[in-house]
Amino acid sequence: MNFEYTEDDKKFIEEFRRFCEKEIGPFAEEIDEKGEIPRSHFKKLADMGYTGMLVPEEFGGTNLGYLKTVYAQEILAEYCGATFFSVGASCGLMGLPLLEFGTKEQIQKYIPSLMSGEKIGCLGVTEPDAGSDVANIKSVARRKNGKLLLNGQKTYITNAPIADFATVLADYQEEDGKSYGLTAFLIETNRKGVSKGKPMKKMGLKGSPTGELFFEDVEVYDSDILGRRGRGFMIIMDAFNRERLSLGAYCVGTMAACLAETRKFSRTRKTFGRPIYKHQSVAFMLADMLIKYEASRVLLHETAWMMDEYSSKKKSVKHTHNGYPVDLTSRTAELKLMASTYAREVCNNAVQIHGGAGYMEEYKVARLYRDIKIGEIGGGTSEIQKQIVAHSEAKRIK
Ligand SMILES: Cc1cc2nc3c(=O)[nH]c(=O)nc-3n(C[C@H](O)[C@H](O)[C@H](O)COP(=O)(O)OP(=O)(O)OC[C@H]3O[C@@H](n4cnc5c(N)ncnc54)[C@H](O)[C@@H]3O)c2cc1C
């Protein structure tokens, strides 16, 4: 892989940064305070082409690939984590599996309005008793008197309070209780029997609404099934590979923001007659931040490049790492585990270097510190990521 940006990349990155600096960054504090993202953010990012970067041309996208997408994701995360999450849940978590497994009709029904920012989507997997333990999902679509009725509850769902559409994972059962396994259903949230809880109060990412979805005898149809009946688990696991890549970009972007803020602060803040970056303990913390940021960024870019290779060669490519084949599930888990651990540490250093000021909401690092914890929880906790990596490593040793 060549790590040098092409002229085209440079132009794209500069343009996208200018856009975020003007249209996203200045609103981040207000979004955090109000606990709400303006709908115009979705539309502006769509107009900028951000939401269509992984969408094929035939469906109105630019299909620029994962590497270019993570360049843009890093920048958006640097300016506003809440916007990053909500737009990502709509276009990434809901949109990308739809593009990969949806029928032409389903794609035409949902994708244009999701990608234009006119409608908002979400992905409903987690339930009160099923987070890490996805197989314990209790939501069920069961046939009754010829109708297929969905009952259940989803929780901690990004965008649930504002979503127009949802992909919902539920067991598919026949009238006699025979199960076909977890199945992904595409549903409009204004369908009879669907209701939403209030936005949940969170420690961070306050502008990105999170909440519950309830399903009471919601009539669903076979035409609502994404992919095939019983293939929901596989579809969601595939979606999680992309989610982990995207969370890696979120962590890297947040680390970049911490570095920028802390460099600025440590240059101007003076103690004992000199700028604080000249004190060795502070300089070492800054060095530590830089190392963690750069190491994560290299892993992020290499993983994105592998995913581009993997999709362009239709999954036949085998990457090697020290002579071993690389499995992308494990690689994206490795990335998220490392980048989220480092990002939490980097945010901690950023606040520490700001001293008392770092504890004050008027400094950006306070928000970054609150926001970043999601990296170690969302898209599968760090403990689950380690299990994935360990499982893959054990297969290589065998
Ligand atoms: C802000 C936010 C946004 C979210 N957005 C979405 C969304 O859009 N869609 C969605 O479906 N979900 C979403 N989630 C849910 C998220 O994916 C889950 O919270 C996460 O997967 C953990 O599940 P849990 O909360 O049930 O924790 P649990 O699974 O109950 O885990 C509790 C603790 O036990 C550990 N643990 C569990 N099992 C094991 C094990 N086998 N071995 C070792 N340790 C274990 C975990 O690592 C964790 O430390 C979101 C969560 C948050 C906080």
Side-chain angles (χ1 to χ4, degrees):
M1 182 198 174
N2 182 355
F3 282 97
E4 213 176 337
Y5 290 135
T6 61
E7 282 309 311
D8 189 40
D9 288 343
K10 277 191 220 160
K11 195 164 154 255
F12 168 78
I13 289 168
E14 274 166 26
E15 246 176 59
F16 193 68
R17 182 172 290 284
R18 264 202 307 274
F19 162 81
C20 288
E21 224 166 54
K22 187 162 167 254
E23 304 288 349
I24 306 288
F27 304 99
E29 299 305 327
E30 190 186 328
I31 284 174
D32 188 60
E33 255 174 52
K34 283 195 181 158
E36 169 182 320
I37 296 174
R39 280 261 178 163
S40 57
H41 267 34
F42 289 84
K43 293 212 176 76
K44 282 180 188 170
L45 280 159
D47 292 345
M48 194 56 199
Y50 176 81
T51 57
M53 291 181 73
L54 290 170
V55 179
E57 284 95 340
E58 60 176 308
F59 300 116
T62 46
N63 207 16
L64 292 175
Y66 289 103
L67 188 56
K68 225 161 179 162
T69 300
V70 299
Y71 294 159
Q73 287 180 327
E74 282 173 56
I75 298 170
L76 180 58
E78 208 179 312
Y79 287 92
C80 183
T83 303
F84 178 97
F85 260 76
S86 276
V87 174
S90 187
C91 301
L93 280 179
M94 180 163 186
L96 295 179
L98 225 161
L99 281 162
E100 182 145 351
F101 299 99
T103 60
K104 244 195 165 115
E105 292 72 33
Q106 289 171 334
I107 291 174
Q108 271 153 3
K109 177 173 174 189
Y110 293 104
I111 289 294
S113 57
L114 281 179
M115 297 301 164
S116 68
E118 191 192 320
K119 301 278 184 195
I120 293 174
C122 67
L123 173 69
V125 177
T126 306
E127 296 187 356
D129 289 322
S132 308
D133 193 2
V134 178
N136 199 33
I137 278 178
K138 303 276 193 323
S139 292
V140 57
R142 189 168 179 169
R143 208 165 282 287
K144 197 173 164 194
N145 303 327
K147 289 182 175 172
L148 193 57
L149 300 177
L150 174 66
N151 283 283
Q153 176 186 352
K154 297 289 169 184
T155 192
Y156 306 150
I157 307 305
T158 302
N159 290 347
I162 55 168
D164 303 290
F165 307 140
T167 304
V168 177
L169 199 60
D171 193 17
Y172 186 119
Q173 293 180 5
E174 281 303 347
E175 204 140 358
D176 60 3
K178 180 183 173 212
S179 166
Y180 286 97
L182 290 175
T183 302
F185 292 93
L186 301 165
I187 300 171
E188 307 87 350
T189 56
N190 63 2
R191 206 177 279 195
K192 192 164 170 263
V194 180
S195 57
K196 299 170 177 176
K198 284 196 185 128
M200 290 166 145
K201 289 190 175 167
K202 308 196 293 296
M203 67 184 271
L205 290 178
K206 288 173 187 268
S208 165
T210 309
E212 293 161 300
L213 289 173
F214 302 95
F215 307 97
E216 206 183 325
D217 284 339
V218 179
E219 191 165 3
V220 289
Y221 307 91
D222 283 345
S223 58
D224 294 327
I225 293 174
L226 179 62
R228 277 191 284 135
R229 182 171 66 177
R231 298 300 294 272
F233 188 78
M234 183 277 291
I235 289 172
I236 298 306
M237 291 303 117
D238 184 77
F240 279 176
N241 280 352
R242 281 185 292 258
E243 167 70 348
R244 288 191 285 263
L245 180 79
S246 161
L247 285 169
Y250 167 69
C251 292
V252 169
T254 304
M255 286 190 261
C258 280
L259 265 168
E261 292 299 304
T262 311
R263 281 173 178 153
K264 210 163 49 189
F265 184 85
S266 63
R267 197 183 306 123
T268 51
R269 175 73 178 166
K270 290 194 178 104
T271 65
F272 300 93
R274 49 189 183 151
I276 57 170
Y277 77 90
K278 293 201 171 170
H279 298 304
Q280 195 183 51
S281 306
V282 173
F284 279 2
M285 277 196 271
L286 278 160
D288 196 52
M289 288 166 73
L290 181 70
I291 292 163
K292 287 171 176 161
Y293 162 67
E294 290 192 336
S296 305
R297 193 155 186 260
V298 169
L299 194 67
L300 170 69
H301 290 182
E302 196 195 53
T303 308
W305 170 79
M306 282 177 172
M307 288 181 66
D308 280 330
E309 291 282 295
Y310 177 82
S311 29
S312 67
K313 290 177 187 150
K314 295 274 175 262
K315 310 186 182 188
S316 60
V317 69
K318 281 260 186 281
H319 295 282
T320 62
H321 174 63
N322 295 338
Y324 297 116
V326 169
D327 118 36
L328 280 174
T329 300
S330 169
R331 170 47 93 96
T332 54
E334 228 178 280
L335 166 70
K336 189 177 100 74
L337 177 59
M338 173 175 152
S340 62
T341 309
Y342 280 176
R344 177 186 34 81
E345 292 167 359
V346 164
C347 287
N348 187 52
N349 277 4
V351 171
Q352 192 64 22
I353 292 174
H354 277 70
Y359 208 75
M360 300 299 140
E361 288 291 354
E362 71 181 275
Y363 285 84
K364 184 172 170 180
V365 290
R367 171 167 54 84
L368 298 173
Y369 181 87
R370 287 189 279 105
D371 285 357
I372 200 59
K373 185 62 195 166
I374 190 61
E376 294 182 301
I377 297 169
T381 64
S382 293
E383 292 71 31
I384 298 302
Q385 306 311 301
K386 198 166 267 183
Q387 282 182 9
I388 295 171
V389 178
H391 182 70
S392 171
E393 181 61 6
K395 279 201 286 191
R396 284 184 211 117
I397 294 169
K398 219 164 40 178

